Amino acid sequence: MKLLSLKNSLQKHVHHQRLYLLFKKPFALKTHSKHIQTSTVIIENPENKTLLSLTHNSNFDSTPTSIPYSKLLSQCTISKSLTRGMEIHARLIRFGLLKDPDFRNHLVNLYSKCRFFVYARKLVDESPEPDLVSWSALISGYAQHGFGREAISAFEEMHLLGVKCNEFTFPSVLKACSIKKELKLGMQVHGVVVVTGFEFDEFVANSLVVMYAKCGDFVDARRLFDSIPERSVVSWNSLFSSYVGSDFYKEAVDLFQEMVLSGIRPNEFSLSSMINACASLGDGGQGSKIHGYLIKLGYDSDPFSANALVDMYAKVGNLEDAVAVFEEINRPDIISWNAVIAGCVLHEHHDLALKLFREMKSSGTYPNMFTLSSALKACAGMGIKELGRQLHSSLIKMDVKWDYVVGGGLVDMYAKCDSMDDSRLIFDLIPEKDLVAWNAVISGYSQNGEDIEAVSLFPLMYREGVGFNHTTLSVVLKSIASLQAIDVCKQVHALSIKSGFESDNYVVNSLTDTYGKCGHVKDATTIFKEFPVVDLMAFTSMIAAYAQDGQGEEALKLYLEMQDREIKPDSFVCSSLLNACANLSAYEQGKQVHVHLIKFGFMSDTFAGNSLVNMYAKCGSIDDADCAFSEIPVRGIVSWSAMIGGLAQHGHGKEALKLFNQMLKDGVSPNHITLVSVLCACNHAGLVNEAKQYFQSMEKLFGIQPMQEHYACMIDLLGRAGKLDEAMELLNTMPFQANASVWGALLGAARIHKNIELGQHAAEMLFTLEPNKSGTHVLLANIYASVGMWENVAIVRRLMKDSKVKKEPAVSWVEVKDKVYTFIVGDRSHARTDEIYAKLDELRNLLNKAGYVPMVEIDLHDVEQSEKEQLLYHHSERLAVAFGLIATPPGATIRIKKNLRVCMDCHAALKFISKIVSREIIVRDINRFHHFKDGSCSCRDYW
């Protein structure tokens, strides 16, 4: 009964997975090493059951001495058969054989190997004089299972008892020192090794090398390695595996090459370590050489090496070779499948990853958590929500713990599949939300355009004490930029400095980008200039900020600096530069950027192609824009909208509508911007009926409700066509309050048709909506002037003065020899001012002879008529034209950009000038393009 009771007691503790008992004295343990609780590992090996079956023979109890207990216990240890080992332990107690040191040592070894340290330690403590074998077995078990502190405590106790170590004990003790990074203790053990004469034992010497290396002392590790008299491949493996384990991959590869040159033949462990080093270095070339060694030495069939090769090729982006090696594996295990699938996901070959995932399931290999995590990323990358749901279901069935891999992966998958409700639900269900989960949900909101949610979550995350990293800050700043929330940007900036992220590239570049997009270019410039390491991303952010802020010249200067630093641009930099050139109407510089697109291979990039179309269109060359449009490989709605908008701005209304219809035939649905361009095309071409048809069918045909911009286009078009009552009726039936653009369109119509009453009403509304905008006062004054109401003109001018409203100065830009020159009215700051005004006088005489009569009535200055004529001649666009005539070759096209609407007098004068000098003059004003040629304008005086 006592035997049965002990056996049941032992099994009971195994089933409850309890590895520590509260023994009474004398079995109470004195050190921390006795307080271990881990799960028991029981592995049954069918091949060892023949010998173990002796324990069930009918004569077992009657003839105990005839049973080979030592062999039985050895077999139990090899197969980790804890249950049967415990049965033998019980029988040894019954027959009084436990006093035999050999049996006791076998049992200590068994329990240590099976991680059942409570009984291993109990046996050692019960022994009157535990010998070296027992201590070695216990220390080895602790070290092998990662219990470094317990192994060290056992060693110290053994040492105090006077038991000396041997060549089998020292390696385990040194391994324990490595686990706990106990360099000082390791050096003391080294001293004992030297005193006891084991420093020349290869196994001990190798363990010393590893201990020093894993404790970070590579100098002493290398010194010890060099002192080994005869270094075998095991010695070399010890050192460069330590290099690999400490992320010194290049040093590991160099050491491997040194080993090969010394004549030592590498084994499969050497080669596997080197493959891992090459994977981490991203060095596919060196990895291929190691692959050659594997084949040459006959290790290519080794499963560990094959898996390492698959992983290496996948990580360096050589998926073709990764799949080739994978397909040569006879029976790929879960590690093989995970390596090749994860590699495909890493390099965004999501379709191939999911194909391999299906093949894995068909082969009978059941996916684990890591496989499903990779598959979730592939679903996220491709936006396949349904498959993602199936994987989610599989994870639930597996009943895995919701860690950062599972929870964060699901949150990310649903977010990238445009299902933020599901993403947030999963996030809320995660019991312990870590940084990965928070980043996933914040990124999801940001990616789906829910920027307020993304920004609002950040302070909640901060209060939870989770912390944040550069990814968090970059994503939050991206949403802040979209919201134009400059105050929040400044708060996040201060927090990033306080948290030590002021020197992080990602955060600094995100701050530059956010300040730029919020219109605080000065702050963006300060951050950019103060950061010591300026990379491509930093230049991209700053160039984009300048381009967006209308500082095109600064953007182009910065690009020159970038070239001086030999930083190769990407398609985003080139797109920003094209936008800068477009804003400046810098045609020649835009063409140079186009050359760079070709040079760096970005012509297939849709984003860059769209910017190229936009640049040529805004620089006045609609033919070049059309060529660029035809070369875009895959035209999206942005491509079509850019070209349609370009045609509209150039007055090619019918061509714009034709292209719009072609877009619809190609299956591309318009957005609200496309329809604004369509209505503008009708407006500039005077196509009233066509505009009405498109406007009235917007919602029915395309599901787009008219917005302020669409109403403004229609009211402007009706007003220009003289249909003022119809324009007013449309305004009164708008489903929302009209904004300034709508009332501005009505005011412009009133000016054209000299409708005082309508002009006054529109102006009054604009004074309320935009009290500081000078354009309203100017247009109203022009209306009064056109009908001779000079007293009212004076009242408007006085109102401007009293309200401290400053008239926006007219500015014109002209590009000559890759440089953009700026002119204002009466400008005399240019180096060639005398030549410019001489050319203006020459043109004045020629214009008078050609029949040109100045429209002095449009000038609102209270001066004599001759002085008004002089002021008209000195308008900024005429100065720009005069400079263009003296600075460019005869016959060359002159391209001018003006920040305001070109005045009627200049419009008339430029028609005459184009014929007199036989030049094409292209003027881009705030509304559209005017192509002056042979005495006429492309707008046909309808603008």
Side-chain angles (χ1 to χ4, degrees):
M1 290 296 291
K2 287 176 70 177
L3 177 64
L4 182 60
S5 174
L6 175 60
K7 177 181 174 183
N8 290 339
S9 176
L10 291 171
Q11 289 179 333
K12 178 180 178 182
H13 289 299
V14 172
H15 294 321
H16 284 83
Q17 296 186 347
R18 179 166 180 168
L19 304 186
Y20 178 69
L21 296 177
L22 298 175
F23 292 109
K24 294 181 181 179
K25 292 182 179 181
F27 303 113
L29 306 180
K30 300 177 181 178
T31 65
H32 179 68
S33 62
K34 292 81 175 175
H35 299 274
I36 305 166
Q37 290 187 349
T38 63
S39 59
T40 305
V41 179
I42 302 173
I43 303 174
E44 298 288 1
N45 186 346
E47 296 178 1
N48 296 324
K49 287 186 178 180
T50 303
L51 184 58
L52 294 177
S53 64
L54 289 170
T55 59
H56 299 286
N57 288 345
S58 58
N59 296 326
F60 179 77
D61 290 342
S62 60
T63 58
T65 56
S66 66
I67 305 300
Y69 290 113
S70 296
K71 289 184 179 179
L72 284 171
L73 288 169
S74 294
Q75 291 290 359
C76 289
T77 302
I78 292 168
S79 62
K80 295 188 179 178
S81 302
L82 181 60
T83 304
R84 296 202 176 170
M86 293 170 81
E87 292 174 356
I88 297 169
H89 185 180
R91 284 173 170 79
L92 288 172
I93 293 172
R94 177 181 177 184
F95 294 118
L97 300 175
L98 199 56
K99 293 180 181 179
D100 187 320
D102 185 50
F103 294 152
R104 187 179 293 275
N105 290 340
H106 275 295
L107 283 168
V108 171
N109 194 31
L110 167 69
Y111 288 132
S112 297
K113 291 286 193 296
C114 292
R115 295 176 57 160
F116 206 51
F117 295 113
V118 60
Y119 284 106
R121 184 68 214 216
K122 180 176 182 292
L123 285 164
V124 172
D125 288 340
E126 285 180 339
S127 176
E129 292 184 6
D131 59 12
L132 178 60
V133 177
S134 291
W135 285 110
S136 294
L138 182 64
I139 293 168
S140 175
Y142 282 139
Q144 286 174 4
H145 292 100
F147 297 106
R149 174 54 55 199
E150 291 73 19
I152 290 169
S153 296
F155 165 70
E156 289 172 344
E157 190 174 347
M158 181 193 84
H159 192 65
L160 288 172
L161 291 172
V163 181
K164 294 183 179 180
C165 291
N166 63 8
E167 68 272 25
F168 303 108
T169 318
F170 280 124
S172 297
V173 177
L174 290 166
K175 183 175 183 179
C177 294
S178 300
I179 292 168
K180 301 305 294 181
K181 300 291 189 289
E182 286 277 6
L183 179 60
K184 187 175 180 180
L185 178 60
M187 293 171 73
Q188 292 173 359
V189 175
H190 186 182
V192 177
V193 168
V194 174
V195 169
T196 52
F198 287 104
E199 74 270 26
F200 296 114
D201 180 89
E202 183 184 2
F203 196 30
V204 176
N206 292 342
S207 300
L208 279 167
V209 169
V210 171
M211 184 277 295
Y212 277 108
K214 290 195 173 179
C215 289
D217 188 351
F218 282 94
V219 174
D220 281 334
R222 184 60 199 252
R223 181 179 57 79
L224 278 170
F225 173 78
D226 291 337
S227 69
I228 299 173
E230 293 185 11
R231 288 168 290 187
S232 67
V233 68
V234 177
S235 305
W236 288 92
N237 286 351
S238 298
L239 186 56
F240 57 64
S241 64
S242 297
Y243 277 131
V244 172
S246 298
D247 299 341
F248 292 112
Y249 305 114
K250 188 177 183 304
E251 290 79 0
V253 172
D254 292 342
L255 191 65
F256 173 78
Q257 292 171 342
E258 185 182 335
M259 180 186 81
V260 173
L261 290 173
S262 70
I264 301 294
R265 173 187 167 121
N267 60 16
E268 63 269 35
F269 301 108
S270 320
L271 297 169
S272 292
S273 291
M274 285 306 97
I275 293 167
N276 291 333
C278 293
S280 298
L281 286 170
D283 191 345
Q286 187 64 36
S288 295
K289 291 178 183 178
I290 304 298
H291 189 180
Y293 276 118
L294 276 169
I295 296 170
K296 181 180 178 181
L297 299 173
Y299 296 129
D300 51 317
S301 59
D302 174 63
F304 295 103
S305 300
N307 287 343
L309 275 173
V310 172
D311 182 63
M312 182 274 294
Y313 280 125
K315 283 181 178 174
V316 301
N318 190 345
L319 291 179
E320 186 177 345
D321 284 343
V323 173
V325 173
F326 172 78
E327 289 176 346
E328 289 177 5
I329 300 173
N330 188 23
R331 292 183 180 178
D333 58 13
I334 189 65
I335 297 172
S336 315
W337 287 103
N338 282 350
V340 71
I341 292 171
C344 292
V345 172
L346 178 65
H347 295 283
E348 299 186 355
H349 292 272
H350 303 301
D351 52 345
L352 179 57
L354 293 176
K355 177 176 176 289
L356 288 165
F357 176 70
R358 289 189 290 269
E359 288 178 7
M360 184 190 84
K361 292 179 71 177
S362 301
S363 72
T365 304
Y366 195 75
N368 62 13
M369 185 174 66
F370 300 104
T371 327
L372 293 173
S373 177
S374 292
L376 278 173
K377 290 177 183 176
C379 291
M382 297 185 72
I384 306 175
K385 182 179 174 181
E386 289 310 311
L387 179 56
R389 283 193 185 279
Q390 293 174 28
L391 296 174
H392 184 182
S393 176
S394 298
L395 283 165
I396 293 171
K397 290 175 183 176
M398 288 171 67
D399 195 26
V400 296
K401 182 182 177 183
W402 282 56
D403 62 2
Y404 70 94
V405 176
V406 177
L410 284 169
V411 170
D412 183 61
M413 182 275 294
Y414 281 119
K416 288 180 178 173
C417 291
D418 301 327
S419 183
M420 276 311 300
D421 289 341
D422 289 328
S423 180
R424 183 58 184 266
L425 179 62
I426 297 297
F427 174 76
D428 290 338
L429 288 172
I430 298 173
E432 295 182 7
K433 302 172 181 67
D434 64 353
L435 179 60
V436 175
W438 280 99
N439 280 353
V441 73
I442 291 173
S443 296
Y445 279 123
S446 181
Q447 289 161 6
N448 284 278
E450 298 183 47
D451 297 302
I452 293 176
E453 283 293 331
V455 176
S456 299
L457 274 175
F458 181 58
L460 294 177
M461 174 186 179
Y462 186 70
R463 284 199 293 270
E464 286 289 320
V466 177
F468 51 86
N469 60 9
H470 67 260
T471 302
T472 323
L473 292 171
S474 297
V475 172
V476 170
L477 285 166
K478 177 178 175 288
S479 286
I480 291 170
S482 298
L483 295 169
Q484 303 275 293
I486 185 61
D487 291 336
V488 183
C489 174
K490 290 178 178 179
Q491 291 175 32
V492 173
H493 187 183
L495 181 62
S496 66
I497 294 171
K498 182 180 177 182
S499 305
F501 285 99
E502 71 274 16
S503 59
D504 184 278
N505 272 28
Y506 291 100
V507 176
V508 170
N509 292 336
S510 295
L511 282 166
T512 303
D513 184 63
T514 305
Y515 275 118
K517 287 178 178 174
C518 289
H520 285 240
V521 179
K522 187 176 180 180
D523 290 324
T525 305
T526 301
I527 293 170
F528 175 80
K529 289 182 176 178
E530 288 181 353
F531 193 59
V533 182
V534 182
D535 57 7
L536 173 61
M537 193 182 299
F539 272 103
T540 303
S541 299
M542 199 63 239
I543 288 171
Y546 281 135
Q548 182 181 311
D549 196 53
Q551 299 184 47
E553 293 179 55
E554 292 299 321
L556 293 168
K557 286 179 187 176
L558 200 58
Y559 181 59
L560 293 175
E561 181 184 335
M562 181 177 155
Q563 286 181 297
D564 290 340
R565 297 194 187 196
E566 297 183 349
I567 298 175
K568 182 181 175 182
D570 60 7
S571 59
F572 297 106
V573 170
C574 291
S575 295
S576 295
L577 289 170
L578 288 169
N579 291 335
C581 294
N583 291 334
L584 289 169
S585 287
Y587 176 70
E588 292 301 327
Q589 293 186 70
K591 285 202 297 184
Q592 290 181 29
V593 178
H594 187 176
V595 170
H596 281 220
L597 282 176
I598 298 169
K599 177 182 176 182
F600 293 111
F602 300 140
M603 287 304 294
S604 60
D605 183 270
T606 304
F607 189 57
N610 295 340
S611 298
L612 196 61
V613 171
N614 179 60
M615 182 276 294
Y616 278 126
K618 288 186 175 178
C619 287
S621 182
I622 198 66
D623 291 337
D624 286 332
D626 186 48
C627 289
F629 174 75
S630 65
E631 291 177 4
I632 297 175
V634 181
R635 300 183 196 118
I637 185 59
V638 177
S639 312
W640 289 97
S641 297
M643 193 62 215
I644 292 168
L647 289 167
Q649 278 194 318
H650 285 268
H652 302 301
K654 291 182 178 178
E655 290 85 348
L657 297 182
K658 183 179 177 182
L659 190 64
F660 176 69
N661 291 327
Q662 182 62 50
M663 181 190 84
L664 297 178
K665 287 180 183 177
D666 285 1
V668 179
S669 298
N671 58 20
H672 74 281
I673 296 173
T674 322
L675 291 171
V676 168
S677 296
V678 167
L679 294 175
C680 284
C682 295
N683 187 6
H684 293 318
L687 304 173
V688 178
N689 292 331
E690 289 86 344
K692 285 182 179 180
Q693 290 175 9
Y694 284 118
F695 181 78
Q696 292 166 2
S697 62
M698 276 176 59
E699 191 169 358
K700 182 180 179 181
L701 293 179
F702 311 118
I704 299 172
Q705 292 184 347
M707 299 168 67
Q708 296 276 11
E709 299 94 321
H710 304 104
Y711 278 99
C713 280
M714 282 303 299
I715 288 169
D716 189 45
L717 180 142
L718 292 169
R720 288 176 188 278
K723 301 178 182 292
L724 298 179
D725 292 339
E726 197 173 336
M728 196 66 200
E729 183 183 349
L730 180 62
L731 186 148
N732 291 330
T733 58
M734 286 174 62
F736 34 72
Q737 290 292 323
N739 65 8
S741 65
V742 175
W743 287 108
L746 198 63
L747 180 61
R751 180 194 62 81
I752 293 170
H753 298 287
K754 303 178 182 180
N755 189 312
I756 306 297
E757 184 181 352
L758 186 61
Q760 287 177 333
H761 178 51
E764 286 172 4
M765 297 303 298
L766 286 167
F767 288 149
T768 303
L769 293 169
E770 295 179 336
N772 297 319
K773 190 170 181 180
S774 63
T776 305
H777 298 79
V778 173
L779 279 175
L780 182 60
N782 282 337
I783 294 172
Y784 288 139
S786 66
V787 294
M789 300 174 66
W790 296 105
E791 289 183 5
N792 290 43
V793 171
I795 292 171
V796 173
R797 291 175 66 86
R798 195 160 47 248
L799 177 64
M800 283 184 71
K801 185 177 180 181
D802 293 342
S803 303
K804 297 181 179 180
V805 175
K806 293 184 178 180
K807 181 181 177 183
E808 182 181 359
V811 183
S812 293
W813 295 266
V814 61
E815 184 188 24
V816 175
K817 295 179 182 178
D818 299 338
K819 188 175 179 181
V820 177
Y821 296 86
T822 306
F823 294 91
I824 60 173
V825 62
D827 198 339
R828 291 186 176 272
S829 62
H830 197 278
R832 300 179 70 178
T833 292
D834 292 342
E835 294 176 75
I836 291 169
Y837 279 88
K839 175 58 74 172
L840 281 175
D841 291 340
E842 178 188 333
L843 288 172
R844 185 173 187 172
N845 293 328
L846 293 171
L847 284 168
N848 290 335
K849 290 179 182 178
Y852 160 74
V853 178
M855 300 178 184
V856 293
E857 66 274 11
I858 69 168
D859 187 90
L860 304 181
H861 292 89
D862 188 15
V863 294
E864 296 295 325
Q865 179 169 330
S866 60
E867 193 171 345
K868 286 188 176 187
E869 287 184 18
Q870 189 76 3
L871 289 170
L872 289 174
Y873 269 105
H874 295 167
H875 275 191
S876 62
E877 55 264 57
R878 296 201 203 186
L879 291 170
V881 167
F883 175 65
L885 288 171
I886 65 174
T888 60
T893 300
I894 298 172
R895 301 172 191 274
I896 295 168
K897 177 193 171 186
K898 188 177 180 182
N899 65 328
L900 303 176
R901 181 179 178 274
V902 63
C903 78
M904 288 187 290
D905 182 67
C906 286
H907 191 270
L910 290 175
K911 286 194 291 183
F912 277 100
I913 292 171
S914 68
K915 186 173 184 179
I916 291 169
V917 299
S918 299
R919 298 260 201 136
E920 182 179 8
I921 302 170
I922 301 173
V923 177
R924 171 186 161 195
D925 69 9
I926 196 170
N927 291 325
R928 61 169 297 159
F929 277 91
H930 300 266
H931 292 254
F932 298 98
K933 190 174 182 180
D934 297 329
S936 63
C937 179
S938 60
C939 73
R940 297 186 294 277
D941 297 336
Y942 186 85
W943 91 103

